[in-house]
Amino acid sequence: MSNRQEPRFPAANGKGVSGIRPYYAPGLSQANYTTLSAPSLPTFPVNSTYLTDDLDDLDLIDSRAAARELINFVALKFLTTAVNSPFEVANTLLQVQYLPTDQDNRLFNAHLQSTEDETNSDYAEEENDDEDDEEEDDEDIYGTGSGSRSRRRHSSDEPYQQPTLDPSDPMFKRHVPVDESGYIVRPSVYDEGTRPQHQLPPIEGGVWKTIKLLLNKEGEGWKSLFKGQYTNWLYEVSHLFLQPTLEGTLNDAFGLYDDTIPLVHLDHAGPNVATIVFSHLIIGVLLSPLELVKTRMIVQSASPLQRKYKGPLHALRTIMAEEGGLKGLYMSHNLVPTMLYHSLIPLISNTGPLIIDRVFRVSAVDSPFLYGLAQLGLDTLELIITLPLETIRKRMQCQIRSRVPGKRFESVVPLRPVPYAGVGDAIYKIMKEEGGKPATRKNRKTSSRGIQYTGLGLRGLYQGFGMQCTTNIVFFVFHAINGIEADDFEDF
């Protein structure tokens, strides 16, 4: 029989003894007790006035803290948009500029060919009349005509008159076709003789070369790197507040899970994806005038003589006055590309983690490197799908179909003179006219028949692809080395 004594526990409700704290004895000072009890609080008479004042003070403190955080967030957003503005400006100019191949360079002013032919025929008739008059005068001067004895140039009976610079004189219009507004028709975007002084030469480089050209261009300078920055900041802040609010409202209305729960943790993520896409679509269309103003502010010339819009508010008023008010602002040729753009981007970006988790079976916790690599591949696929749509959308935003004639929109880069009829027409025309390399002397090739060609491709639809793809790679490297989630940067 073992001599081991079984431990004895006091009764749960014994007098002077606690079943939870058996070593506690009443009357001992707290200094001799290992587990200190909570200090007793002084009691005050309950007064509803005191409680109401305390709650009001707490609400005031909370509102001040929330306002401080809001101001800090808005200021930080303004700084981030300012830092990103030069790259946004350069990328937009690369996307909207019109660089036809050497074979399709003749299409630059095909819509004005008939007008040019009529103008040239008029000029030819005027030249023939002038030549006949000159021949008669020459005959009179040299005494070969019938009126040589009575008609002499600069004779005493006909005093010499100083010729005037009359714009209607045929000599000023000879071989210089103009359009219906009186502007000179450029035979090619590469023609330096007819290039406007405020316009950049065709940009055949990347983002950094575009920034350098803007800095060195007279009338542009460093201020041009921040064109549209205020409008972009206003759009970003408004979108960050409106879109989550609408998404949460839709989730509450349909009884869905909270929008703060990641989609990968939901058994059925389809309804939540639908509310995300629908909220992005509605807010994107609602704020599309700000994107329209931003694009035109970036593309227009900064020269005071050629500048059409003085600021965002002036641009908005001018667009509404010249292009049909609110109906022209929303229900225009920009509606379809806007809806496609704000539907595809949230759909692809939010279903990416679902595809990685449920299709590829890769977990961010178990295999962070493979997860980051899969995310990089999906981001590149998203860029391949959405970048052509973004290019088409910005080009169509620069098309002014004015109902009320106003000041001419002068762009800092050459634009296509013939507007695109729609998204499909824009894709076809860009691939056909700008698919190959630009028609410069460096890459120009000539076949045996003497026809110059540069090839076809997708070059015109993927301007700025290298910079954005490099950005995705940098985020992947950060995530792989330091464990920095790329989603943390998307909130700023």
Side-chain angles (χ1 to χ4, degrees), residues 223-373:
K223 292 183 179 180
S224 296
L225 300 178
F226 298 93
K227 291 191 295 185
Q229 186 260 332
Y230 175 77
T231 310
N232 187 28
W233 167 75
L234 184 60
Y235 170 82
E236 293 290 342
V237 172
S238 302
H239 194 277
L240 285 175
F241 281 105
L242 294 178
Q243 188 274 325
T245 303
L246 180 59
E247 181 184 348
T249 304
L250 292 175
N251 289 337
D252 294 339
F254 292 99
L256 302 178
Y257 289 99
D258 189 5
D259 55 316
T260 59
I261 301 177
L263 296 178
V264 293
H265 296 162
L266 301 178
D267 295 334
H268 303 283
N272 289 81
V273 172
T275 56
I276 291 175
V277 174
F278 186 75
S279 60
H280 276 86
L281 174 61
I282 296 299
I283 301 302
V285 174
L286 180 64
L287 300 178
S288 60
L290 294 178
E291 295 181 294
L292 175 65
V293 170
K294 181 191 72 172
T295 302
R296 293 193 182 180
M297 292 288 293
I298 291 175
V299 177
Q300 76 167 354
S301 173
S303 175
L305 297 178
Q306 282 80 24
R307 186 173 54 190
K308 182 179 178 67
Y309 308 115
K310 300 178 182 179
L313 294 179
H314 179 262
L316 196 60
R317 291 196 303 265
T318 304
I319 293 173
M320 294 181 62
E322 295 181 356
E323 303 180 33
L326 288 176
K327 183 177 180 181
L329 197 62
Y330 285 100
M331 307 299 295
S332 63
H333 54 278
N334 295 315
L335 179 61
V336 174
T338 298
M339 295 179 65
L340 292 175
Y341 181 79
H342 288 290
S343 299
L344 289 178
I345 288 184
L347 178 62
I348 298 175
S349 60
N350 286 279
T351 55
L354 291 174
I355 296 175
I356 296 175
D357 182 75
R358 301 182 182 182
V359 177
F360 297 155
R361 302 293 182 181
V362 177
S363 175
V365 179
D366 299 335
S367 304
F369 181 80
L370 292 179
Y371 186 90
L373 189 62

Side-chain angles (χ1 to χ4, degrees), residues 190-248:
Y190 308 104
D191 186 14
E192 299 180 0
T194 56
R195 181 180 302 135
Q197 186 177 4
H198 62 272
Q199 196 172 93
L200 293 173
I203 305 174
E204 302 172 10
V207 172
W208 292 108
K209 184 176 181 180
T210 306
I211 294 176
K212 183 179 179 181
L213 289 175
L214 282 175
L215 290 175
N216 298 329
K217 180 64 177 177
E218 183 180 359
E220 297 291 335
W222 64 271
K223 292 183 179 180
S224 296
L225 300 178
F226 298 93
K227 291 191 295 185
Q229 186 260 332
Y230 175 77
T231 310
N232 187 28
W233 167 75
L234 184 60
Y235 170 82
E236 293 290 342
V237 172
S238 302
H239 194 277
L240 285 175
F241 281 105
L242 294 178
Q243 188 274 325
T245 303
L246 180 59
E247 181 184 348

